[in-house]
Amino acid sequence: PPPTRWDTALLLILPLRLGLSSFDHKNYSTTLAHTFSLPQSLGFLGGSPRHALWFYAANADGSTLYGLDPHTVQAAPSLSPSLSHHHRPIHLSDDYLRSVHTTKPAVMDVTKLDPSLALAFYCQDHADFTNLCTSLQNLNNSCTKQKKPILFDVVERLPDYTNVTDVMAELAGAAADSFSCDADLLPAAGRREDDNDLSDEDDYVML
C-alpha cells in the first residue's frame, strides 16, 4: 500500500547514546556538528552530568559546542489590547526580544559532553520529513565512506526482531546447559558453606 501522507507539523526527538562511559568524540563529533546544518534541525539536548544544556551550534570540526541553559526562567510576553476576547495577539516589544537573546552563550568542549543526548528536528509536513530522511541518509553515506559509525539508521519500516529473539533464546539455552552449578566447581567466592572469612564484596552473581 502507498505510504500514509500527512500535512501537519512534526516534532521529532531522537534519544541517543554515543559512547559507553564517555562521548566518543573521535567518531561522532564531526557528524554531530553537521546535523546543525540541516534545515529541520532544532539542535540537541545534552551537556554534562547534572548540567543539561540546549545546543544550537558547533564548530565545523565539532570540537566546540554552543548552547543555552534551558533552566533559565523567562517571563511570558504581554498580550496586546483587543476588542475580541477570543483573539488577543502577543505583543513582542523590543525589550522582550532583547531579553530572549544573549551575547554570552554556553560554550563546551566536545570531549566534556555526556554520551546521552537527544537530537531534535522540526518538520512542517510530510514532504519536509521526506527531505530530512534523505539528508540523514546522505549523512550516513558520508560516514560510511569515511569508515565512521553513523549516529542512527533510517529505515522505511519497523525491523523484524523475531529471528533475533529466537537466536538470543538459543544462545541463552546453550549457555545454561554448558554451565555447571556444582558447588565444588565454583570459585571460593561463589560458595556459601565456609565463607565466614569472606565479606559481601567477595560474593558475585553469575548472570
Side-chain angles (χ1 to χ4, degrees):
T4 303
R5 301 187 66 84
W6 33 271
D7 56 5
T8 56
L10 170 68
L11 175 61
L12 185 62
I13 300 178
L14 302 173
L16 301 174
R17 186 172 181 88
L18 305 178
L20 296 177
S21 58
S22 61
F23 178 69
D24 187 355
H25 62 93
K26 293 182 179 179
N27 283 317
Y28 294 115
S29 59
T30 303
T31 308
L32 183 63
H34 287 175
T35 63
F36 291 113
S37 65
L38 302 180
Q40 300 84 359
S41 174
L42 295 179
F44 71 88
L45 296 174
S48 56
R50 296 178 296 279
H51 185 59
L53 295 171
W54 169 59
F55 294 101
Y56 60 87
N59 287 358
D61 61 358
S63 60
T64 305
L65 301 169
Y66 303 92
L68 299 173
D69 188 348
H71 306 94
T72 302
V73 178
Q74 176 69 31
S78 60
L79 298 177
S80 301
S82 175
L83 297 177
S84 173
H85 295 288
H86 301 286
H87 177 69
R88 297 183 62 187
I90 296 175
H91 177 61
L92 298 178
S93 64
D94 291 340
D95 289 339
Y96 181 82
L97 291 176
R98 281 193 294 268
S99 71
V100 296
H101 292 78
T102 180
T103 58
K104 297 180 180 179
V107 180
M108 175 177 285
D109 188 298
V110 74
T111 60
K112 306 296 183 182
L113 184 67
D114 189 85
S116 296
L117 53 91
L119 295 175
F121 302 95
Y122 176 79
C123 303
Q124 296 181 357
D125 49 30
H126 186 273
D128 203 24
F129 173 73
T130 301
N131 179 270
L132 172 64
C133 291
T134 301
S135 299
L136 291 173
Q137 191 59 58
N138 292 337
L139 189 61
N140 289 348
N141 293 339
S142 177
C143 291
T144 302
K145 291 180 180 179
Q146 299 176 42
K147 297 182 179 181
K148 289 186 176 182
I150 62 177
L151 297 178
F152 58 91
D153 206 358
V154 179
V155 295
E156 295 184 359
R157 63 189 62 187
L158 185 68
D160 182 9
Y161 294 107
T162 304
N163 295 334
V164 176
T165 304
D166 293 341
V167 172
M168 294 290 288
E170 291 179 4
L171 291 175
D177 293 339
S178 62
F179 177 71
S180 174
C181 291
D182 190 341
D184 293 334
L185 300 179
L186 290 176
R191 294 201 297 265
R192 304 292 304 193
E193 293 145 358
D194 51 359
D195 59 355
N196 294 331
D197 297 333
L198 298 176
S199 66
D200 291 339
E201 296 179 354
D202 294 319
D203 294 340
Y204 61 83
V205 178
M206 179 69 72
L207 299 177

